[in-house]
């Protein structure tokens, strides 16, 4: 058995930023327009008027201040309210591949690994832009990687589940160098016309190179172990899929074709599940909470992370122990914990332990216990 390690990470951040104020101004214009168009039905009590959103609510409820998106104009246009992306020819790289390449190249440069040395590409994300061929195989081709590639989707836990799959293959020797990439176009499945959730997501791509610890060319993180768990829940759900055309109402604009959640229930049920998961994972490795130098948590909600950090460490985390990036990126699904890891891990010293932990729809939880080398 070989010891797997994360030797490089990369983040692609779209240039466009939408602040809470910009988002709320556009939503409120949309709500006013809808209310004016449906004034008769509203007056007759047949329809509830749409209520305004507020920046204060968004920041207080989530900790989010802004988000990066691939397309800002479409999202903010009250007549559109979703991203509008250029239709690509089948012979040019797709949007996910383009984002993925940027993140992969950064991760490979940090690891000092040439793309041709990669023999496994996993594209792990919450949504795939097409059914087939696999996005990962297109990324493999564009990178010039060898071996094989496949897609996997475990919603917000896709990155950690992907890291487990790659780490296990490196450990067993079936692959030597892998890249796990998470291109998340969350703006595509977010319902920007629903004030309960319109502030939640942003777009980004992250990538992690996983190879044998003995092959690492510089400082790196040995993967001590990984742990994945799932438990079915309908509290985060999206019913869009390949059977859409076969439904009696066909492809009409239905609310459940975008992200839906029961946020309060998710909060209440996922926090204890994640805390218990992380604590049992480190305990089984003989590591105590006070040996952890850093927690890189999924980035959905600041209070959620505050609760989890406190429960796992047994005290309020000190500044920097549990870095948040959600104020700048919002929830970027599976990429969130990897952004936090990528931006806030260089300062750890050899021997330090840390845990990456993602959680979300499914429900799903994935943790990766790391040791700085
Ligand atoms: N602006 C102003 N008010 C808003 C609003 C907005 N954008 N959105 C909702 N409200 C209102 C609600 O209508 C509700 O009003 P009411 O009390 O009169 O019914 C009130 O604010 C509270 O709404 P609620 O949805 O209960 O807020 P919350 O404190 O639970 O925060 C979330 C909402 C989504 C931020 C929070 O539940 C959360 O983060 N949950 C976990 C989400 C998660 O991790 N999801 C994983 C996704 S992958």
């Amino acid at each position: 058995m070989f010891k797997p390690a994360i030797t490089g990470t990369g983040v692609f951040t779209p240039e466009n930023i939408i602040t809470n104020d910009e988002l709320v101004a556009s939503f409120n214009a949309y709500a006013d327009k809808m209310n004016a168009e449906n004034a008769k039905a509203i007056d007759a009590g047949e329809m509830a008027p749409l209520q305004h959103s507020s920046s204060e609510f968004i920041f207080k409820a989530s900790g989010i201040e802004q988000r990066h998106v691939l397309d800002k104009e479409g999202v903010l246009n009250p007549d559109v309210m979703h991203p509008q992306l250029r239709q690509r020819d089948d012979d040019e790289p797709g949007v996910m591949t383009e984002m993925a390449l940027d993140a992969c190249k950064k991760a490979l440069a940090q690891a000092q690994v040439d793309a041709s040395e990669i023999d496994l590409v996993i594209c792990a994300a919450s949504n795939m832009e097409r059914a087939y061929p696999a996005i990962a195989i297109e990324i493999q081709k564009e990178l010039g990687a060898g071996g094989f590639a496949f897609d996997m989707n475990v919603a917000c836990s896709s990155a950690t589940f992907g890291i487990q799959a790659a780490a296990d293959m490196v450990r067993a020797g079936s692959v030597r160098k892998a890249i796990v990439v998470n291109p998340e176009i969350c703006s595509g499945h977010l319902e920007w016309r629903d004030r309960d959730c319109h502030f939640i997501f942003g777009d980004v791509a992250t990538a992690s190179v996983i190879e044998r610890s003995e092959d690492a060319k510089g400082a790196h993180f040995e993967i001590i172990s990984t742990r994945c768990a799932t438990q079915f829940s309908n509290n985060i759900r999206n019913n869009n899929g390949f059977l859409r055309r076969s439904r009696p109402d066909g492809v009409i604009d239905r609310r459940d074709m975008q992200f839906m959640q029961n946020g309060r229930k998710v909060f209440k049920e996922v926090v204890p599940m994640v805390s218990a998961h992380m604590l049992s994972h480190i305990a089984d490795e003989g590591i105590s909470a006070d040996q952890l130098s850093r927690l890189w948590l999924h980035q959905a909600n600041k209070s959620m992370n505050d609760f989890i950090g406190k429960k796992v460490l047994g005290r309020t985390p000190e500044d920097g122990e549990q870095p948040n990036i959600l104020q700048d990126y919002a929830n970027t699904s599976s990429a969130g914990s990897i952004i936090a890891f990528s931006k806030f891990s260089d300062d750890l010293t050899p021997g330090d332990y840390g845990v990456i932990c993602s959680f979300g729809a499914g429900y799903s939880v994935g943790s990766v216990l790391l040791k700085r080398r």
Side-chain angles (χ1 to χ4, degrees):
M1 290 290 197
F2 302 96
K3 285 180 184 165
I6 299 180
T7 57
T9 53
V11 180
F12 162 75
T13 304
E15 277 174 22
N16 300 314
I17 291 175
I18 299 181
T19 64
N20 286 348
D21 285 348
E22 288 175 304
L23 184 75
V24 165
S26 127
F27 179 86
N28 291 350
Y30 166 77
D32 292 344
K33 181 171 113 33
M34 289 303 285
N35 291 343
E37 281 171 17
N38 295 287
K40 269 191 188 162
I42 292 168
D43 287 346
E46 292 157 8
M47 189 181 146
L50 292 179
Q51 292 178 289
H52 277 188
S53 182
S54 104
S55 296
E56 296 71 42
F57 170 85
I58 294 171
F59 181 66
K60 197 162 159 264
S62 68
I64 295 165
E65 294 174 37
Q66 60 170 45
R67 69 283 299 138
H68 291 259
V69 288
L70 291 180
D71 174 53
K72 179 169 174 173
E73 262 177 52
V75 165
L76 291 185
N77 182 342
D79 293 323
V80 180
M81 302 295 277
H82 59 74
Q84 289 179 310
L85 304 174
R86 181 177 66 82
Q87 177 67 51
R88 284 152 195 254
D89 199 80
D90 284 356
D91 291 327
E92 58 180 327
V95 188
M96 288 180 76
T97 295
E98 194 175 282
M99 299 164 77
L101 285 177
D102 183 276
C104 286
K105 284 176 184 166
K106 288 171 181 161
L108 289 166
Q110 191 185 32
Q112 299 173 61
V113 167
D114 192 80
S116 61
E117 298 174 76
I118 295 290
D119 50 9
L120 167 64
V121 178
I122 301 178
C123 177
S126 291
N127 286 279
M128 299 300 159
E129 89 185 72
R130 63 171 177 266
Y132 41 81
I135 310 293
I137 302 176
E138 189 175 47
I139 297 169
Q140 175 197 23
K141 175 194 156 223
E142 294 296 327
L143 270 180
F148 63 105
F150 61 88
D151 292 347
M152 57 185 279
N153 174 357
V154 201
C156 291
S157 297
S158 299
T160 50
F161 279 53
I163 289 172
Q164 164 157 311
D168 283 353
M169 284 189 247
V170 169
R171 191 177 279 114
S174 57
V175 305
R176 183 132 188 171
K177 292 183 197 294
I179 195 154
V180 179
V181 59
N182 324 103
E184 294 284 11
I185 311 177
C186 300
S187 61
H189 66 101
L190 177 56
E191 183 48 272
W192 298 92
R193 297 168 297 184
D194 181 347
R195 79 162 185 165
D196 286 339
C197 68
H198 75 125
F199 54 89
I200 288 182
F201 288 115
D203 300 335
V204 84
T206 50
S208 312
V209 173
I210 293 145
E211 57 182 322
R212 293 179 189 173
S213 189
E214 68 195 55
D215 287 349
K217 299 202 176 68
H220 59 279
F221 285 89
E222 184 187 328
I223 299 174
I224 303 296
S225 67
T226 55
R227 180 164 294 182
C228 297
T230 49
Q231 182 185 303
F232 189 73
S233 166
N234 271 324
N235 287 325
I236 312 170
R237 191 168 172 118
N238 182 332
N239 283 330
N240 200 359
F242 80 104
L243 290 179
R244 189 161 182 187
R245 193 181 59 165
S246 67
R247 295 192 178 111
D249 55 7
V251 293
I252 63 157
D253 183 15
R254 245 168 55 181
R255 175 64 190 89
D256 65 336
M257 296 295 111
Q258 279 73 246
F259 166 87
M260 298 186 299
Q261 79 163 345
N262 188 335
R264 278 276 157 104
K265 277 198 176 158
V266 173
F267 199 111
K268 267 197 195 146
E269 293 171 6
V270 169
V271 167
M273 186 179 166
V274 172
S275 315
H277 178 98
M278 290 177 78
L279 284 168
S280 73
H281 183 182
I282 60 167
D284 289 350
E285 292 296 343
I287 308 279
S288 62
D290 55 20
Q291 287 176 273
L292 296 177
S293 301
R294 194 116 338 143
L295 305 180
W296 299 282
L297 299 180
H298 175 50
Q299 302 285 315
N301 180 294
K302 182 175 182 305
S303 321
M304 219 169 173
N305 285 3
D306 290 347
F307 273 110
I308 294 167
K310 199 169 174 184
K311 186 78 186 160
V312 171
L313 298 179
R315 58 177 168 77
T316 303
E318 283 167 27
D319 271 356
E321 266 186 318
Q322 182 198 288
N324 281 328
I325 54 86
L326 58 84
Q327 64 281 4
D328 299 324
Y329 283 86
N331 183 344
T332 49
S333 198
S334 74
S337 58
I338 307 299
I339 305 174
F341 173 65
S342 187
K343 290 188 186 288
F344 298 98
S345 54
D346 278 357
D347 59 313
L348 294 196
T349 52
D352 285 351
Y353 288 100
V355 181
I356 299 176
C357 185
S358 63
F359 41 87
Y363 296 135
S364 57
V365 192
S367 52
V368 183
L369 176 60
L370 298 170
K371 187 173 189 175
R372 181 70 162 171
R373 295 288 190 193

